Amino acid sequence: MELTTVWFVLIAVLWTGYFVLEGFDFGVGILLPFLGRTEADRRTIVRTIGPVWDGNEVWLLVAGGATFAAFPEWYATLFSGFYLPLFLILLALIVRGVALEYRSKSDSTRGWDRAFFWGSLGPALLWGVAFANIVRGVPLDAAHEFTGTLLTLLNPFALLGGVATLLLFTLHGAIFLALRTTGELRRGATRIARTLAPIVLLVVVAFLIASDGGKPVWWAAVVVAAAGLAGALAATLRGRDGWAFASSALAVVAFTAALFTGLWPNVLPALDPANSLTVTNAASTPYTLTVMTWVAAIFTPVVLAYQAWTYWVFRRRLTGTPTGPQNPGPSALTPVNEG
C-alpha cells in the first residue's frame, strides 16, 4: 500500500476517533438545558465528561496536524476556502472549554451553561456542513484556490449534513448520559434517545444516500451506520445502556467511514474534476511520509493505551445530590455500580 493511501486512512481514523469521542461531548452539552432541571443535575451532567473532554479534543489537533504534514495542499486549500466556518468552530470550542473550566469557579453558572450549550451545538452543526462540502466538491481553480463564497458552502446538501451530524451527536450524547448516570437523569436521557433514534436514522441515511459514494465499501458503511442506529434504539428500549452506546459509536464510525470512502481518491473534489485535489497531487514528499509513519507507529499505541486507561478509571456512573453547595467538590458526586 502506498504511503499516501496509508495517511489518508490514518487521517480518516483520527477523524473517526474525534467524532466518536467528542461527538458524545457535544451531545452532552446540547442536552444540558433539556435534562438539567436543577443545579445538582447540571453538575452531574457536566461531570460525566469532566475528566475526558479535553483529551477527546486531542484527536482534532492530531488530525489537523497530520493533514498539514501529509497533505499540505489539502490543508492550505481547506483552511483558506473554509476559513469562516472553521474560525467559528474554533471560537465555539474555545468558548466551550472556558465554560467547562470556569463553571465551578463562579457563583452563577447560568451564563457558563449557555456558553457550554452553544459551544457544543455550533461545532456539531458546522462539522457536518464542512464535511458535506468536502464530499460534494467545491469550486476550485487550476491553482487549487477556492473561488466560492460563504453562501456557496451553505447549500442544501451541506445544511442537510449539518443537521445529520447535529442529530447524530445529540443521540450519541443522550445514550452516553444514560450510560453514565442514574435515577431521573438516566430516565430522561433514555426518553430523549428513544425519541431521537428513529429521526436520526432517517436523516443520516438520507444524507449518506444523497452523498452518492457509489462504491461497494461505501454501501457497506451506509448499511452498518443504519444497523448501528437501529441497534442503539433496540438496546435503549431494552435498557441495555452499554450495548446502546456501543451501537451508537458503531454508527458514528460507519458514518465517518462512508464520508471518507466516498471521498477517495480525492481529498477535496472540485466542481471541475480537472482541478480536484487527490491523495497524489496534495501529498508531501515520500521522505516526509516515511518519517511520519515511523513516528505514528511508535507513539500512537501509547496514546491509545493512555486514553483507554482514562476511560476505564472514570467508567462508573454518577449520581448527584439534590442539596448542597452550588459548586461542590468531587465528594458531592457519588460513583455507583449500577448497570
Side-chain angles (χ1 to χ4, degrees), residues 42-72:
R42 291 190 290 274
R43 285 199 306 269
T44 304
I45 291 170
V46 171
R47 290 293 294 273
T48 60
I49 65 169
V52 298
W53 70 268
D54 48 355
N56 294 341
E57 288 192 348
V58 171
W59 288 80
L60 173 62
L61 299 177
V62 178
T67 303
F68 172 77
F71 300 101

PDB file of all heavy atoms in Angstrom, residues 42-72:
ATOM      1  N   ARG A  42     -27.387  19.545  36.671  1.00  0.00           N
ATOM      2  CA  ARG A  42     -26.453  20.142  35.714  1.00  0.00           C
ATOM      3  C   ARG A  42     -25.001  19.829  36.100  1.00  0.00           C
ATOM      4  O   ARG A  42     -24.171  19.583  35.230  1.00  0.00           O
ATOM      5  CB  ARG A  42     -26.684  21.649  35.624  1.00  0.00           C
ATOM      6  CG  ARG A  42     -28.014  22.011  34.954  1.00  0.00           C
ATOM      7  CD  ARG A  42     -28.123  23.484  34.657  1.00  0.00           C
ATOM      8  NE  ARG A  42     -28.264  24.278  35.869  1.00  0.00           N
ATOM      9  CZ  ARG A  42     -29.430  24.535  36.467  1.00  0.00           C
ATOM     10  NH1 ARG A  42     -30.558  24.056  35.951  1.00  0.00           N
ATOM     11  NH2 ARG A  42     -29.479  25.277  37.556  1.00  0.00           N
ATOM     12  N   ARG A  43     -24.720  19.846  37.402  1.00  0.00           N
ATOM     13  CA  ARG A  43     -23.367  19.481  37.837  1.00  0.00           C
ATOM     14  C   ARG A  43     -23.050  18.055  37.435  1.00  0.00           C
ATOM     15  O   ARG A  43     -21.956  17.753  36.954  1.00  0.00           O
ATOM     16  CB  ARG A  43     -23.239  19.619  39.360  1.00  0.00           C
ATOM     17  CG  ARG A  43     -23.136  21.037  39.872  1.00  0.00           C
ATOM     18  CD  ARG A  43     -22.547  21.050  41.269  1.00  0.00           C
ATOM     19  NE  ARG A  43     -23.262  20.184  42.193  1.00  0.00           N
ATOM     20  CZ  ARG A  43     -24.277  20.573  42.964  1.00  0.00           C
ATOM     21  NH1 ARG A  43     -24.711  21.823  42.873  1.00  0.00           N
ATOM     22  NH2 ARG A  43     -24.850  19.739  43.783  1.00  0.00           N
ATOM     23  N   THR A  44     -23.994  17.162  37.620  1.00  0.00           N
ATOM     24  CA  THR A  44     -23.770  15.761  37.286  1.00  0.00           C
ATOM     25  C   THR A  44     -23.555  15.577  35.785  1.00  0.00           C
ATOM     26  O   THR A  44     -22.667  14.828  35.355  1.00  0.00           O
ATOM     27  CB  THR A  44     -24.962  14.908  37.749  1.00  0.00           C
ATOM     28  OG1 THR A  44     -25.166  15.100  39.156  1.00  0.00           O
ATOM     29  CG2 THR A  44     -24.717  13.431  37.479  1.00  0.00           C
ATOM     30  N   ILE A  45     -24.363  16.266  34.981  1.00  0.00           N
ATOM     31  CA  ILE A  45     -24.221  16.164  33.531  1.00  0.00           C
ATOM     32  C   ILE A  45     -22.836  16.623  33.096  1.00  0.00           C
ATOM     33  O   ILE A  45     -22.167  15.957  32.291  1.00  0.00           O
ATOM     34  CB  ILE A  45     -25.322  16.993  32.842  1.00  0.00           C
ATOM     35  CG1 ILE A  45     -26.693  16.340  33.058  1.00  0.00           C
ATOM     36  CG2 ILE A  45     -25.044  17.149  31.346  1.00  0.00           C
ATOM     37  CD1 ILE A  45     -27.867  17.195  32.621  1.00  0.00           C
ATOM     38  N   VAL A  46     -22.395  17.748  33.622  1.00  0.00           N
ATOM     39  CA  VAL A  46     -21.071  18.257  33.256  1.00  0.00           C
ATOM     40  C   VAL A  46     -19.975  17.309  33.728  1.00  0.00           C
ATOM     41  O   VAL A  46     -18.993  17.066  33.018  1.00  0.00           O
ATOM     42  CB  VAL A  46     -20.861  19.668  33.836  1.00  0.00           C
ATOM     43  CG1 VAL A  46     -19.421  20.130  33.653  1.00  0.00           C
ATOM     44  CG2 VAL A  46     -21.818  20.658  33.180  1.00  0.00           C
ATOM     45  N   ARG A  47     -20.164  16.727  34.902  1.00  0.00           N
ATOM     46  CA  ARG A  47     -19.121  15.850  35.435  1.00  0.00           C
ATOM     47  C   ARG A  47     -18.984  14.532  34.664  1.00  0.00           C
ATOM     48  O   ARG A  47     -17.960  13.864  34.757  1.00  0.00           O
ATOM     49  CB  ARG A  47     -19.401  15.532  36.913  1.00  0.00           C
ATOM     50  CG  ARG A  47     -19.199  16.732  37.849  1.00  0.00           C
ATOM     51  CD  ARG A  47     -17.739  17.151  37.928  1.00  0.00           C
ATOM     52  NE  ARG A  47     -16.903  16.154  38.547  1.00  0.00           N
ATOM     53  CZ  ARG A  47     -16.696  16.066  39.861  1.00  0.00           C
ATOM     54  NH1 ARG A  47     -17.295  16.907  40.691  1.00  0.00           N
ATOM     55  NH2 ARG A  47     -15.907  15.128  40.345  1.00  0.00           N
ATOM     56  N   THR A  48     -19.997  14.149  33.903  1.00  0.00           N
ATOM     57  CA  THR A  48     -19.868  12.910  33.115  1.00  0.00           C
ATOM     58  C   THR A  48     -18.750  13.000  32.090  1.00  0.00           C
ATOM     59  O   THR A  48     -18.134  11.988  31.737  1.00  0.00           O
ATOM     60  CB  THR A  48     -21.183  12.564  32.388  1.00  0.00           C
ATOM     61  OG1 THR A  48     -21.539  13.628  31.506  1.00  0.00           O
ATOM     62  CG2 THR A  48     -22.309  12.308  33.387  1.00  0.00           C
ATOM     63  N   ILE A  49     -18.491  14.213  31.581  1.00  0.00           N
ATOM     64  CA  ILE A  49     -17.417  14.375  30.599  1.00  0.00           C
ATOM     65  C   ILE A  49     -16.226  15.138  31.173  1.00  0.00           C
ATOM     66  O   ILE A  49     -15.219  15.322  30.471  1.00  0.00           O
ATOM     67  CB  ILE A  49     -17.924  15.086  29.322  1.00  0.00           C
ATOM     68  CG1 ILE A  49     -18.362  16.513  29.640  1.00  0.00           C
ATOM     69  CG2 ILE A  49     -19.030  14.294  28.669  1.00  0.00           C
ATOM     70  CD1 ILE A  49     -18.612  17.366  28.403  1.00  0.00           C
ATOM     71  N   GLY A  50     -16.332  15.576  32.428  1.00  0.00           N
ATOM     72  CA  GLY A  50     -15.286  16.401  33.030  1.00  0.00           C
ATOM     73  C   GLY A  50     -13.877  15.841  32.913  1.00  0.00           C
ATOM     74  O   GLY A  50     -12.946  16.565  32.551  1.00  0.00           O
ATOM     75  N   PRO A  51     -13.655  14.547  33.185  1.00  0.00           N
ATOM     76  CA  PRO A  51     -12.284  14.021  33.135  1.00  0.00           C
ATOM     77  C   PRO A  51     -11.757  13.737  31.726  1.00  0.00           C
ATOM     78  O   PRO A  51     -10.569  13.467  31.576  1.00  0.00           O
ATOM     79  CB  PRO A  51     -12.395  12.707  33.932  1.00  0.00           C
ATOM     80  CG  PRO A  51     -13.722  12.727  34.605  1.00  0.00           C
ATOM     81  CD  PRO A  51     -14.598  13.559  33.744  1.00  0.00           C
ATOM     82  N   VAL A  52     -12.626  13.777  30.711  1.00  0.00           N
ATOM     83  CA  VAL A  52     -12.193  13.264  29.393  1.00  0.00           C
ATOM     84  C   VAL A  52     -12.352  14.244  28.239  1.00  0.00           C
ATOM     85  O   VAL A  52     -11.774  14.018  27.173  1.00  0.00           O
ATOM     86  CB  VAL A  52     -12.965  11.961  29.050  1.00  0.00           C
ATOM     87  CG1 VAL A  52     -12.664  10.869  30.058  1.00  0.00           C
ATOM     88  CG2 VAL A  52     -14.466  12.207  28.962  1.00  0.00           C
ATOM     89  N   TRP A  53     -13.113  15.313  28.395  1.00  0.00           N
ATOM     90  CA  TRP A  53     -13.448  16.127  27.235  1.00  0.00           C
ATOM     91  C   TRP A  53     -12.216  16.755  26.585  1.00  0.00           C
ATOM     92  O   TRP A  53     -12.119  16.813  25.364  1.00  0.00           O
ATOM     93  CB  TRP A  53     -14.459  17.223  27.603  1.00  0.00           C
ATOM     94  CG  TRP A  53     -13.895  18.315  28.477  1.00  0.00           C
ATOM     95  CD1 TRP A  53     -13.906  18.366  29.833  1.00  0.00           C
ATOM     96  CD2 TRP A  53     -13.230  19.505  28.028  1.00  0.00           C
ATOM     97  NE1 TRP A  53     -13.290  19.503  30.280  1.00  0.00           N
ATOM     98  CE2 TRP A  53     -12.862  20.222  29.184  1.00  0.00           C
ATOM     99  CE3 TRP A  53     -12.905  20.031  26.784  1.00  0.00           C
ATOM    100  CZ2 TRP A  53     -12.193  21.445  29.127  1.00  0.00           C
ATOM    101  CZ3 TRP A  53     -12.235  21.248  26.728  1.00  0.00           C
ATOM    102  CH2 TRP A  53     -11.890  21.944  27.878  1.00  0.00           C
ATOM    103  N   ASP A  54     -11.257  17.221  27.403  1.00  0.00           N
ATOM    104  CA  ASP A  54     -10.087  17.858  26.816  1.00  0.00           C
ATOM    105  C   ASP A  54      -9.189  16.839  26.108  1.00  0.00           C
ATOM    106  O   ASP A  54      -8.563  17.142  25.085  1.00  0.00           O
ATOM    107  CB  ASP A  54      -9.303  18.641  27.858  1.00  0.00           C
ATOM    108  CG  ASP A  54      -9.046  17.857  29.136  1.00  0.00           C
ATOM    109  OD1 ASP A  54      -9.565  16.729  29.254  1.00  0.00           O
ATOM    110  OD2 ASP A  54      -8.330  18.364  30.018  1.00  0.00           O
ATOM    111  N   GLY A  55      -9.136  15.607  26.631  1.00  0.00           N
ATOM    112  CA  GLY A  55      -8.402  14.556  25.938  1.00  0.00           C
ATOM    113  C   GLY A  55      -9.042  14.187  24.615  1.00  0.00           C
ATOM    114  O   GLY A  55      -8.347  13.871  23.640  1.00  0.00           O
ATOM    115  N   ASN A  56     -10.368  14.243  24.560  1.00  0.00           N
ATOM    116  CA  ASN A  56     -11.061  13.944  23.306  1.00  0.00           C
ATOM    117  C   ASN A  56     -10.718  14.947  22.211  1.00  0.00           C
ATOM    118  O   ASN A  56     -10.671  14.604  21.027  1.00  0.00           O
ATOM    119  CB  ASN A  56     -12.576  13.928  23.531  1.00  0.00           C
ATOM    120  CG  ASN A  56     -13.015  12.787  24.439  1.00  0.00           C
ATOM    121  OD1 ASN A  56     -12.284  11.824  24.627  1.00  0.00           O
ATOM    122  ND2 ASN A  56     -14.196  12.906  25.008  1.00  0.00           N
ATOM    123  N   GLU A  57     -10.488  16.207  22.588  1.00  0.00           N
ATOM    124  CA  GLU A  57     -10.171  17.229  21.599  1.00  0.00           C
ATOM    125  C   GLU A  57      -8.787  17.040  20.987  1.00  0.00           C
ATOM    126  O   GLU A  57      -8.492  17.600  19.933  1.00  0.00           O
ATOM    127  CB  GLU A  57     -10.291  18.620  22.223  1.00  0.00           C
ATOM    128  CG  GLU A  57     -11.728  19.034  22.494  1.00  0.00           C
ATOM    129  CD  GLU A  57     -11.859  20.502  22.842  1.00  0.00           C
ATOM    130  OE1 GLU A  57     -10.818  21.148  23.099  1.00  0.00           O
ATOM    131  OE2 GLU A  57     -12.999  21.014  22.858  1.00  0.00           O
ATOM    132  N   VAL A  58      -7.934  16.262  21.651  1.00  0.00           N
ATOM    133  CA  VAL A  58      -6.606  16.000  21.099  1.00  0.00           C
ATOM    134  C   VAL A  58      -6.706  15.319  19.739  1.00  0.00           C
ATOM    135  O   VAL A  58      -5.855  15.526  18.863  1.00  0.00           O
ATOM    136  CB  VAL A  58      -5.778  15.161  22.095  1.00  0.00           C
ATOM    137  CG1 VAL A  58      -4.471  14.692  21.472  1.00  0.00           C
ATOM    138  CG2 VAL A  58      -5.493  15.959  23.359  1.00  0.00           C
ATOM    139  N   TRP A  59      -7.741  14.512  19.541  1.00  0.00           N
ATOM    140  CA  TRP A  59      -7.916  13.835  18.252  1.00  0.00           C
ATOM    141  C   TRP A  59      -8.048  14.855  17.125  1.00  0.00           C
ATOM    142  O   TRP A  59      -7.534  14.640  16.023  1.00  0.00           O
ATOM    143  CB  TRP A  59      -9.150  12.938  18.289  1.00  0.00           C
ATOM    144  CG  TRP A  59      -8.971  11.717  19.128  1.00  0.00           C
ATOM    145  CD1 TRP A  59      -9.056  11.641  20.486  1.00  0.00           C
ATOM    146  CD2 TRP A  59      -8.682  10.396  18.675  1.00  0.00           C
ATOM    147  NE1 TRP A  59      -8.830  10.351  20.911  1.00  0.00           N
ATOM    148  CE2 TRP A  59      -8.602   9.559  19.808  1.00  0.00           C
ATOM    149  CE3 TRP A  59      -8.492   9.829  17.420  1.00  0.00           C
ATOM    150  CZ2 TRP A  59      -8.334   8.210  19.731  1.00  0.00           C
ATOM    151  CZ3 TRP A  59      -8.226   8.472  17.332  1.00  0.00           C
ATOM    152  CH2 TRP A  59      -8.145   7.671  18.485  1.00  0.00           C
ATOM    153  N   LEU A  60      -8.717  15.974  17.389  1.00  0.00           N
ATOM    154  CA  LEU A  60      -8.853  17.019  16.383  1.00  0.00           C
ATOM    155  C   LEU A  60      -7.500  17.666  16.084  1.00  0.00           C
ATOM    156  O   LEU A  60      -7.157  17.909  14.913  1.00  0.00           O
ATOM    157  CB  LEU A  60      -9.848  18.079  16.858  1.00  0.00           C
ATOM    158  CG  LEU A  60      -9.985  19.322  15.983  1.00  0.00           C
ATOM    159  CD1 LEU A  60     -10.482  18.949  14.591  1.00  0.00           C
ATOM    160  CD2 LEU A  60     -10.913  20.335  16.643  1.00  0.00           C
ATOM    161  N   LEU A  61      -6.745  17.952  17.124  1.00  0.00           N
ATOM    162  CA  LEU A  61      -5.435  18.575  16.936  1.00  0.00           C
ATOM    163  C   LEU A  61      -4.510  17.669  16.125  1.00  0.00           C
ATOM    164  O   LEU A  61      -3.797  18.129  15.226  1.00  0.00           O
ATOM    165  CB  LEU A  61      -4.808  18.893  18.296  1.00  0.00           C
ATOM    166  CG  LEU A  61      -5.585  19.872  19.187  1.00  0.00           C
ATOM    167  CD1 LEU A  61      -4.890  20.029  20.527  1.00  0.00           C
ATOM    168  CD2 LEU A  61      -5.748  21.216  18.497  1.00  0.00           C
ATOM    169  N   VAL A  62      -4.526  16.383  16.441  1.00  0.00           N
ATOM    170  CA  VAL A  62      -3.661  15.449  15.722  1.00  0.00           C
ATOM    171  C   VAL A  62      -4.131  15.293  14.272  1.00  0.00           C
ATOM    172  O   VAL A  62      -3.313  15.220  13.343  1.00  0.00           O
ATOM    173  CB  VAL A  62      -3.619  14.089  16.434  1.00  0.00           C
ATOM    174  CG1 VAL A  62      -2.762  13.094  15.657  1.00  0.00           C
ATOM    175  CG2 VAL A  62      -3.067  14.245  17.851  1.00  0.00           C
ATOM    176  N   ALA A  63      -5.453  15.257  14.063  1.00  0.00           N
ATOM    177  CA  ALA A  63      -5.977  15.152  12.697  1.00  0.00           C
ATOM    178  C   ALA A  63      -5.562  16.363  11.870  1.00  0.00           C
ATOM    179  O   ALA A  63      -5.146  16.232  10.710  1.00  0.00           O
ATOM    180  CB  ALA A  63      -7.497  15.018  12.716  1.00  0.00           C
ATOM    181  N   GLY A  64      -5.658  17.562  12.452  1.00  0.00           N
ATOM    182  CA  GLY A  64      -5.236  18.760  11.746  1.00  0.00           C
ATOM    183  C   GLY A  64      -3.747  18.764  11.461  1.00  0.00           C
ATOM    184  O   GLY A  64      -3.310  19.105  10.352  1.00  0.00           O
ATOM    185  N   GLY A  65      -2.946  18.367  12.461  1.00  0.00           N
ATOM    186  CA  GLY A  65      -1.506  18.303  12.267  1.00  0.00           C
ATOM    187  C   GLY A  65      -1.100  17.271  11.231  1.00  0.00           C
ATOM    188  O   GLY A  65      -0.197  17.512  10.408  1.00  0.00           O
ATOM    189  N   ALA A  66      -1.751  16.127  11.243  1.00  0.00           N
ATOM    190  CA  ALA A  66      -1.447  15.079  10.267  1.00  0.00           C
ATOM    191  C   ALA A  66      -1.814  15.527   8.855  1.00  0.00           C
ATOM    192  O   ALA A  66      -1.089  15.249   7.894  1.00  0.00           O
ATOM    193  CB  ALA A  66      -2.195  13.792  10.622  1.00  0.00           C
ATOM    194  N   THR A  67      -2.926  16.239   8.715  1.00  0.00           N
ATOM    195  CA  THR A  67      -3.312  16.752   7.404  1.00  0.00           C
ATOM    196  C   THR A  67      -2.297  17.770   6.894  1.00  0.00           C
ATOM    197  O   THR A  67      -1.900  17.748   5.721  1.00  0.00           O
ATOM    198  CB  THR A  67      -4.712  17.399   7.477  1.00  0.00           C
ATOM    199  OG1 THR A  67      -5.647  16.442   7.968  1.00  0.00           O
ATOM    200  CG2 THR A  67      -5.158  17.891   6.111  1.00  0.00           C
ATOM    201  N   PHE A  68      -1.854  18.652   7.781  1.00  0.00           N
ATOM    202  CA  PHE A  68      -0.858  19.655   7.404  1.00  0.00           C
ATOM    203  C   PHE A  68       0.444  19.005   6.941  1.00  0.00           C
ATOM    204  O   PHE A  68       1.057  19.439   5.949  1.00  0.00           O
ATOM    205  CB  PHE A  68      -0.592  20.576   8.593  1.00  0.00           C
ATOM    206  CG  PHE A  68       0.551  21.529   8.384  1.00  0.00           C
ATOM    207  CD1 PHE A  68       0.387  22.657   7.602  1.00  0.00           C
ATOM    208  CD2 PHE A  68       1.782  21.296   8.963  1.00  0.00           C
ATOM    209  CE1 PHE A  68       1.438  23.542   7.396  1.00  0.00           C
ATOM    210  CE2 PHE A  68       2.843  22.166   8.767  1.00  0.00           C
ATOM    211  CZ  PHE A  68       2.671  23.301   7.979  1.00  0.00           C
ATOM    212  N   ALA A  69       0.880  17.959   7.643  1.00  0.00           N
ATOM    213  CA  ALA A  69       2.159  17.332   7.318  1.00  0.00           C
ATOM    214  C   ALA A  69       2.065  16.383   6.129  1.00  0.00           C
ATOM    215  O   ALA A  69       2.978  16.332   5.293  1.00  0.00           O
ATOM    216  CB  ALA A  69       2.687  16.581   8.537  1.00  0.00           C
ATOM    217  N   ALA A  70       0.978  15.614   6.044  1.00  0.00           N
ATOM    218  CA  ALA A  70       0.867  14.598   4.989  1.00  0.00           C
ATOM    219  C   ALA A  70       0.304  15.152   3.684  1.00  0.00           C
ATOM    220  O   ALA A  70       0.718  14.734   2.594  1.00  0.00           O
ATOM    221  CB  ALA A  70      -0.005  13.442   5.478  1.00  0.00           C
ATOM    222  N   PHE A  71      -0.661  16.081   3.787  1.00  0.00           N
ATOM    223  CA  PHE A  71      -1.304  16.635   2.588  1.00  0.00           C
ATOM    224  C   PHE A  71      -1.366  18.161   2.711  1.00  0.00           C
ATOM    225  O   PHE A  71      -2.445  18.731   2.905  1.00  0.00           O
ATOM    226  CB  PHE A  71      -2.709  16.058   2.426  1.00  0.00           C
ATOM    227  CG  PHE A  71      -2.755  14.559   2.279  1.00  0.00           C
ATOM    228  CD1 PHE A  71      -3.102  13.751   3.356  1.00  0.00           C
ATOM    229  CD2 PHE A  71      -2.440  13.959   1.073  1.00  0.00           C
ATOM    230  CE1 PHE A  71      -3.138  12.374   3.231  1.00  0.00           C
ATOM    231  CE2 PHE A  71      -2.479  12.580   0.929  1.00  0.00           C
ATOM    232  CZ  PHE A  71      -2.820  11.780   2.015  1.00  0.00           C
ATOM    233  N   PRO A  72      -0.231  18.836   2.612  1.00  0.00           N
ATOM    234  CA  PRO A  72      -0.202  20.288   2.833  1.00  0.00           C
ATOM    235  C   PRO A  72      -1.080  21.074   1.865  1.00  0.00           C
ATOM    236  O   PRO A  72      -1.652  22.102   2.241  1.00  0.00           O
ATOM    237  CB  PRO A  72       1.285  20.644   2.657  1.00  0.00           C
ATOM    238  CG  PRO A  72       1.883  19.507   1.902  1.00  0.00           C
ATOM    239  CD  PRO A  72       1.105  18.297   2.301  1.00  0.00           C
TER     240      PRO A  72
END
